[in-house]
Amino acid sequence: MVRAAVLPAVGAPLEITEIELPDPGPGQVRVRLAAAGVCHSDLSLSDGTMRVPVPAVLGHEGAGTVVSVGEGVTGLVPGAGVVLNWAPSCGSCHACSLGEVWLCAHALSGSADVYARTADGTDLHPGLNVAAFAEETVVPVSCTLPLPDGIPLTDAALLGCAVLTGYGAVHHSAQVRPGETVAVFGVGGVGLSALQAARIAGASTIVAVDVSPEKEELARAAGATEYVVASENTARQIRALTGKQGVDVAVECVGRAVTIRTAWESTRRGGRTTVVGIGGKDQQVTFNALELFHWGRTLSGCVYGNSDPARDLPILAEHVRAGRLDLGSLVTERIALEGIPAAFDNMLAGKGGRALIVF
């Protein structure tokens, strides 16, 4: 029996309770969590913005230590450190055959499985495959990545989603080049990662945008050269900071129609707008045909930073070891399982960066 945060139904409060984990079966690994990040996607799953089979244990950004392995698992032994990979690629679908593993058609199929049970025998599903809001979890070996050398296990949890997404949005989706100007909308865990990635890419002007004035210090520490408190004048302010042109690249990490539209309007003619934030179906963004022609901008979605975790994790680790990427600075609160609801409330209120559950 291990303690976990269980979502009993969509929209219901999380319940901190004991669950029964089975021994790992063929091709599975049991992991003792060291830490798990509280991501906005977890909030989106809990409130129904994104669908998940319930009851479920949420949490998809985590790292821990292998406890035991099932039949057929090679290359992992008890005591090994791992980063959880919530979106493993199948390697055989159309997207995977194109090398676009972040769009794998079967990446989330494991979320429908029953992986554990409550004390009264109720079946539980692993939210986004890995169920990291628990002291321990059982996952397919494909959902684990070796912990890179020199990376503290607790900090490594952030590599599993926030950093891969934010870094990938800048380097893979937007493909920021040295000297370009960048605006990042939303200074949460992903936004802070995108700001650091823009600095690493050699961007000249880096504008951070958020509704909270209190996040300016966080944003500047991550690499922002300018800070704008979101308002109806945001696009005009950003153009004023960039010679009235707008930025070369805007990265939207909020997922709201008004923010996406503002990011688009803040992008120069011929620039690129990348949407990372996950919004609901009610968030409708409109464009007229003439402006699409006139501005010549590129608007693109971005899933998991368009990242290949197996390829990108060693690259991120090298940035960490070299001091270019600071994982600890993303974390503004370290909490226990009981602190997840308050972390959700802080997200809704636009407070803080990443909340990290430390076991």
Side-chain angles (χ1 to χ4, degrees):
M1 303 293 287
V2 300
R3 295 176 70 247
V6 175
L7 178 70
V10 172
L14 293 178
E15 299 176 355
I16 310 302
T17 185
E18 288 195 334
I19 66 171
E20 183 179 353
L21 279 179
D23 293 330
Q28 292 185 322
V29 180
R30 183 165 179 150
V31 177
R32 179 178 298 114
L33 273 295
V38 182
C39 180
H40 203 282
S41 296
D42 298 308
L43 177 59
S44 296
L45 291 167
S46 71
D47 66 16
T49 300
M50 297 168 62
R51 291 186 176 184
V52 63
V54 291
V57 175
L58 303 182
H60 61 281
E61 180 182 87
T65 304
V66 173
V67 176
S68 56
V69 301
E71 180 183 351
V73 174
T74 59
L76 282 180
V77 296
V82 292
V83 176
L84 296 180
N85 175 16
W86 62 269
S89 56
C90 71
S92 59
C93 71
H94 181 64
C96 287
S97 72
L98 296 175
E100 299 172 350
V101 298
W102 54 92
L103 299 178
C104 176
H106 306 293
L108 298 180
S109 60
S111 295
D113 295 341
V114 171
Y115 94 111
R117 289 179 173 82
T118 62
D120 65 5
T122 302
D123 290 343
L124 290 172
H125 301 281
L128 293 187
N129 290 324
V130 298
F133 286 174
E135 294 171 329
E136 296 186 11
T137 188
V138 174
V139 298
V141 68
S142 60
C143 287
T144 63
L145 296 163
L147 176 72
D149 292 339
I151 308 300
L153 189 57
T154 300
D155 289 351
L158 301 163
L159 295 173
C161 183
V163 180
L164 274 170
T165 301
Y167 179 91
V170 168
H171 285 266
H172 302 320
S173 180
Q175 298 182 9
V176 174
R177 298 181 289 268
E180 288 194 309
T181 55
V182 176
V184 175
F185 290 75
V187 184
V190 173
L192 288 168
S193 299
L195 288 170
Q196 292 202 49
R199 173 176 46 75
I200 291 169
S204 55
T205 299
I206 305 174
V207 186
V209 183
D210 199 275
V211 295
S212 172
E214 288 76 22
K215 290 188 179 182
E216 181 171 359
E217 185 177 349
L218 272 175
R220 289 190 181 276
T225 60
E226 309 289 343
Y227 191 82
V228 172
V229 178
S231 71
E232 61 182 15
N233 295 318
T234 295
R236 187 178 298 116
Q237 288 178 270
I238 291 175
R239 287 196 295 271
L241 291 168
T242 52
K244 299 183 180 181
Q245 296 301 310
V247 289
D248 296 301
V249 170
V251 180
E252 198 275 355
C253 303
V254 181
R256 295 183 63 232
V258 64
T259 317
I260 295 169
R261 180 72 208 192
T262 303
W264 164 267
E265 293 175 355
S266 302
T267 306
R268 69 166 174 83
R269 195 176 188 189
R272 290 101 68 199
T273 305
T274 293
V275 179
V276 181
I278 302 173
K281 293 180 180 179
D282 62 323
Q283 296 294 312
Q284 299 290 319
V285 189
T286 59
F287 306 92
N288 66 61
L290 181 60
E291 69 174 321
L292 290 173
F293 160 76
H294 173 76
W295 290 104
R297 297 164 176 147
T298 299
L299 177 68
S300 61
C302 178
V303 178
Y304 202 7
N306 292 9
S307 294
D308 178 346
R311 175 199 65 197
D312 293 337
L313 197 62
I315 296 171
L316 294 175
E318 180 54 35
H319 285 309
V320 174
R321 289 190 293 264
R324 292 184 292 267
L325 180 60
D326 183 358
L327 299 179
S329 67
L330 305 179
V331 179
T332 53
E333 188 178 17
R334 295 177 186 267
I335 61 175
L337 284 171
E338 290 80 2
I340 299 173
F344 282 173
D345 290 340
N346 284 339
M347 282 184 194
L348 290 171
K351 296 180 180 178
R354 202 45 138 213
L356 189 68
I357 305 162
V358 180
F359 295 94

